[in-house]
């Protein structure tokens, strides 16, 4: 039974979705590949078939990334829960946390501290809601450069869809001794200091029916401790 603060979080997030999609709801879902985690996401039976041109434009102007668990995020969460030594007792920063799925997985896998960072206020609200839903403690940061503490590991899932973000992988290497990036969108990721360490197949949830190539998630490790 959700308490009143979580009920109001769900109401606020549904209202944010309704600003762009009148018929959408935020509802709790268990992730198909990570049944250990529940998230508040766009209702799985939402149909985009009947969206008006105005609504389509609104979606493009306000992409509610937090309302989906992206394939890279879902599979990175799986990877951390299956390889707990990667995060155990570490201070971890999840860059571009969206729904918070990867940060939550890091906390569940035994990280000492997890900082969830996103420039979108709604993503930070969703991450706080989802942390409470999964009974884990996270710290929240809107601005990466405001985080002053030592970071042992930076994790990031599905942030390279935006070419402006291609500057971040090299920045991460200057900030932390270890970096783990999950991505299914870049065909040849050849950033100096990184190597591919694994590959998993999974999809975005709710399912966006993406091309098969976007379901192949590659994991790249960088940093001195690799
Ligand atoms: C596609 S979503 C991925 C969310 C989550 N990591 C996942 O895999 O489900 C990308 C997220 O990165 C955030 N983001 C994009 N560029 C960013 C930046 N420069 N700084 C912080 N967050 C950023 C977006 O707001 C969005 O929440």
């Amino acid at each position: 039974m959700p308490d009143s603060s979580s009920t109001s979080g769900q109401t606020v997030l549904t209202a944010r979705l309704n600003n762009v999609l009148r018929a959408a709801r935020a509802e709790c879902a268990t992730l198909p590949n990570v049944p250990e985690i529940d998230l508040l996401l766009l209702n799985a039976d939402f149909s985009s078939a009947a969206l008006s041109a105005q609504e389509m434009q609104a979606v493009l102007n306000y992409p509610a990334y937090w309302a989906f668990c992206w394939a890279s995020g879902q599979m990175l969460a799986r990877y951390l829960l299956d390889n707990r030594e990667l995060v155990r007792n570490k201070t971890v920063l999840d860059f571009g946390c969206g729904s918070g799925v990867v940060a939550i997985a890091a906390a569940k896998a035994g990280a000492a501290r997890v900082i969830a960072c996103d420039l979108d206020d709604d993503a930070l609200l969703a991450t706080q809601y989802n942390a409470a839903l999964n009974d884990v403690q996270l710290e929240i940061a809107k601005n990466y450069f405001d985080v002053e503490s030592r970071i042992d590991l930076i994790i990031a899932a599905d942030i390279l869809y935006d070419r402006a973000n291609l500057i971040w992988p090299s920045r991460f290497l200057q900030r932390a001794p270890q970096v783990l990036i999950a991505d299914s969108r870049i065909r040849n990721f050849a950033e100096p200091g990184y190597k591919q360490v694994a590959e998993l197949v999974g999809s975005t949830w709710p399912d966006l029916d993406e091309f098969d190539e976007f379901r192949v998630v590659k994991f790249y490790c960088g940093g001195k401790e690799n």
Side-chain angles (χ1 to χ4, degrees):
M1 184 78 173
D3 64 22
S4 59
S5 64
S6 64
T7 306
S8 75
Q10 184 164 2
T11 306
V12 170
L13 287 162
T14 291
R16 296 286 165 83
L17 267 180
N18 290 153
N19 287 339
V20 282
L21 297 170
R22 268 171 303 145
R25 296 187 314 279
E27 68 176 22
C28 288
T30 300
L31 298 176
N33 294 102
V34 194
E36 299 92 328
I37 295 179
D38 290 340
L39 295 176
L40 188 72
L41 298 172
L42 175 71
N43 53 300
D45 58 357
F46 180 80
S47 165
S48 59
L51 287 187
S52 65
Q54 197 183 9
E55 279 186 306
M56 278 306 260
Q57 193 54 50
V59 170
L60 293 174
N61 293 342
Y62 168 76
Y65 293 117
W66 60 267
F68 293 87
C69 175
W70 298 87
S72 294
Q74 182 170 201
M75 300 325 291
L76 181 53
R78 181 70 274 143
Y79 190 67
L80 296 182
L81 287 163
D82 290 344
N83 296 278
R84 292 170 183 247
E85 67 287 353
L86 287 170
V87 295
R88 192 173 292 128
N89 300 326
K90 292 182 180 173
T91 296
V92 177
L93 183 138
D94 176 19
F95 183 88
C97 59
S99 65
V101 59
V102 183
I104 291 166
K108 279 186 175 284
R113 272 179 78 192
V114 183
I115 303 157
C117 175
D118 203 295
L119 44 69
D120 177 19
D121 287 327
D122 292 348
L124 296 178
L125 189 60
T127 294
Q128 284 170 301
Y129 180 95
N130 287 325
L133 187 64
N134 289 280
D135 207 16
V136 298
Q137 299 282 334
L138 302 178
E139 297 165 46
I140 296 295
K142 179 159 173 146
N143 186 341
Y144 171 86
F145 296 105
D146 286 346
V147 178
E148 289 177 350
S149 60
R150 181 181 59 87
I151 299 167
D152 301 311
L153 170 68
I154 295 176
I155 49 180
D158 202 356
I159 57 151
L160 301 179
Y161 60 91
D162 183 348
R163 298 196 73 76
N165 282 341
L166 289 171
I167 52 167
W168 284 99
S170 65
R171 279 188 184 157
F172 295 156
L173 292 179
Q174 291 162 17
R175 184 69 172 81
Q178 202 175 19
V179 182
L180 183 56
I181 294 175
D183 183 79
S184 65
R185 315 224 176 249
I186 298 267
R187 212 161 268 174
N188 298 307
F189 180 76
E191 181 72 29
Y194 286 87
K195 63 171 191 266
Q196 189 182 332
V197 292
E199 182 176 301
L200 291 174
V201 175
S203 43
T204 295
W205 194 259
D207 197 347
L208 285 171
D209 215 10
E210 292 182 288
F211 293 124
D212 282 349
E213 65 186 275
F214 296 133
R215 297 172 194 260
V216 180
V217 179
K218 295 181 177 166
F219 298 85
Y220 303 96
C221 247
K224 297 192 274 285
E225 292 185 9
N226 290 298

